[in-house]
Amino acid sequence: MPLTEKCPEEYEFKYSAIGDSSDQISKVGVVACMLIIGDKCVVETGSTGTPSDFEWRTYKQRSQCASDDEYYQQSFTIGFDPKIGDKLIGTKFDLQNNINYKMGIDAEGTAIPIRKKDRVSGAVRFVILGPVNVTWDVITRRHPTFFRHTKWGSSTMALLPHVSSIVIESFEMKIYSDNGLVNNTGDKDIVYLSDTKETFVNRKDDISFKISSALTSAESHELGVTDSVKMSTPVNTQTGGGVLQIYDYARELSAKPEQLYVDSYYQEYHAPRITMTQKLRDKAGEGLVNPLLHYRHPAMGRTFFVQGISRSINEGSAEMNLKEIEQ
């Protein structure tokens, strides 16, 4: 049925337990869900919805489980935190907020922690399994009678038969980081600079790294970079951690890919080198035109490598773009 702003509000939240009129309930589950990332899934081990109630465990397909119960236990619930006097049906609630100021996260909502030890990586899949079968307890207190004692009576009622629809108006999943609880949230980024000043090199402002290496806590602190979640960091499939550096077989050294890129760019442009275009006869069997050869200009005393070749079939020639090899 369509959502209407005018609907009966029923079943007031009054008690947490028999004899306790205080608010001890922090979460009423509404929808059961599965969150699967790679080979791990979220399992809710408690009922209060606190971050400590969520654990990452190895996900098992239905064929790997002995029963449906075992399979669907790999789930968690999202819900709301009612206050005394709230009506459970016909009321609009925010999702439960389990984030406190000590977590160092500027956000509200239901937080599911992802720790380094969880080794979570891979494709993300979020599944809504269905509504939670919530019950409401009507607690009545019988006044003392001539028997001179007090009796308590309790009846339980399932709420789903009284609900026409469950509407989730705005739901989104985001990744936040506590920055290692280090207050280095300034707007900074990694910048590599050469140790010399080259005034003739145009500043390169449009370089962007779509894949960036991971940083250790010490590196983040030294560079002044926020130690937050980097979605573009590749993951080592053997260790589950972010890739800190790679090995360059051509130069026989290990470094961060960004450093290797900037260093190669610096080596290419840190000193002015001659570029020239040369047209040569391109005839089969002569071997004059070869992209793997180096060419020597005797008058200038310079050696060049081939950057590109364009051929003319009509003329039987090849035009080569050459650049001086670094001396």
Side-chain angles (χ1 to χ4, degrees):
M1 296 183 62
L3 172 67
T4 61
E5 296 295 334
K6 297 180 180 180
C7 58
E9 297 181 353
E10 299 177 326
Y11 303 107
E12 181 178 342
F13 173 58
K14 295 181 178 180
Y15 302 96
S16 297
I18 295 177
D20 184 3
S21 60
S22 62
D23 185 1
Q24 301 294 331
I25 302 297
S26 58
K27 176 183 176 182
V28 174
V30 177
V31 180
C33 309
M34 274 188 175
L35 177 60
I36 305 165
I37 302 181
D39 61 344
K40 300 289 183 66
C41 66
V42 176
V43 177
E44 189 171 6
T45 59
S47 60
T48 60
T50 60
S52 60
D53 284 346
F54 300 104
E55 291 184 4
W56 289 92
R57 298 180 183 176
T58 302
Y59 173 68
K60 298 170 66 175
Q61 300 283 351
R62 176 60 187 89
S63 58
Q64 299 174 299
C65 299
S67 63
D68 287 341
D69 289 342
E70 181 183 358
Y71 176 71
Y72 288 115
Q73 283 175 359
Q74 305 177 116
S75 62
F76 65 100
T77 63
I78 57 176
F80 58 89
D81 181 9
K83 305 303 178 186
I84 297 294
D86 288 345
K87 300 296 180 64
L88 299 183
I89 294 181
T91 306
K92 187 183 297 184
F93 292 98
D94 292 330
L95 289 182
Q96 179 206 18
N97 180 34
N98 63 359
I99 302 174
N100 58 51
Y101 71 95
K102 296 181 181 179
M103 297 174 63
I105 298 176
D106 185 15
E108 291 185 358
T110 300
I112 298 175
I114 302 177
R115 305 171 183 87
K116 184 177 181 180
K117 65 180 182 180
D118 295 324
R119 305 295 187 190
V120 175
S121 65
V124 179
R125 186 155 62 100
F126 180 79
V127 182
I128 296 179
L129 300 176
V132 179
N133 189 20
V134 179
T135 59
W136 180 72
D137 288 337
V138 181
I139 301 173
T140 59
R141 186 177 188 277
R142 295 182 183 179
H143 292 284
T145 63
F146 59 94
F147 296 106
R148 297 183 180 179
H149 67 271
T150 301
K151 293 184 178 181
W152 289 88
S154 176
S155 60
T156 301
M157 179 183 298
L159 293 184
L160 282 181
H162 303 268
V163 176
S164 61
S165 60
I166 298 174
V167 178
I168 301 177
E169 285 191 336
S170 177
F171 177 77
E172 56 183 351
M173 297 173 60
K174 292 185 178 181
I175 294 180
Y176 288 89
S177 173
D178 60 4
N179 300 317
L181 297 179
V182 177
N183 189 21
N184 59 344
T185 57
D187 186 12
K188 297 183 179 180
D189 205 347
I190 304 176
V191 177
Y192 296 101
L193 299 175
S194 64
D195 57 357
T196 60
K197 183 177 180 181
E198 311 294 350
T199 58
F200 54 84
V201 177
N202 293 330
R203 182 175 177 179
K204 191 70 173 173
D205 288 331
D206 59 344
I207 296 178
S208 60
F209 296 102
K210 301 206 172 184
I211 297 178
S212 57
S213 58
L215 294 172
T216 63
S217 298
E219 290 172 338
S220 299
H221 181 72
E222 179 182 357
L223 296 171
V225 178
T226 301
D227 186 15
S228 59
V229 177
K230 304 295 190 299
M231 298 298 291
S232 59
T233 300
V235 175
N236 188 323
T237 56
Q238 294 182 346
T239 64
V243 174
L244 295 173
Q245 59 184 10
I246 61 175
Y247 183 76
D248 186 349
Y249 283 92
R251 301 167 64 181
E252 297 183 347
L253 59 87
S254 295
K256 292 186 177 296
E258 300 93 331
Q259 290 175 305
L260 294 174
Y261 179 88
V262 173
D263 289 347
S264 64
Y265 192 89
Y266 171 77
Q267 293 295 332
E268 182 72 16
Y269 295 103
H270 82 286
R273 286 185 279 169
I274 298 172
T275 59
M276 62 182 297
T277 301
Q278 180 67 45
K279 185 178 289 187
L280 295 177
R281 184 179 62 189
D282 187 15
K283 188 175 180 181
E286 289 187 350
L288 294 178
V289 179
N290 189 327
L292 303 180
L293 291 180
H294 291 171
Y295 295 83
R296 180 80 177 171
H297 196 295
M300 291 187 293
R302 305 293 178 92
T303 304
F304 298 81
F305 69 93
V306 180
Q307 285 188 310
I309 300 176
S310 60
R311 287 181 164 87
S312 173
I313 299 177
N314 293 333
E315 297 180 1
S317 64
E319 187 175 276
M320 296 187 297
N321 296 322
L322 304 173
K323 185 170 184 177
E324 179 189 0
I325 296 177
E326 182 182 4
Q327 301 298 324

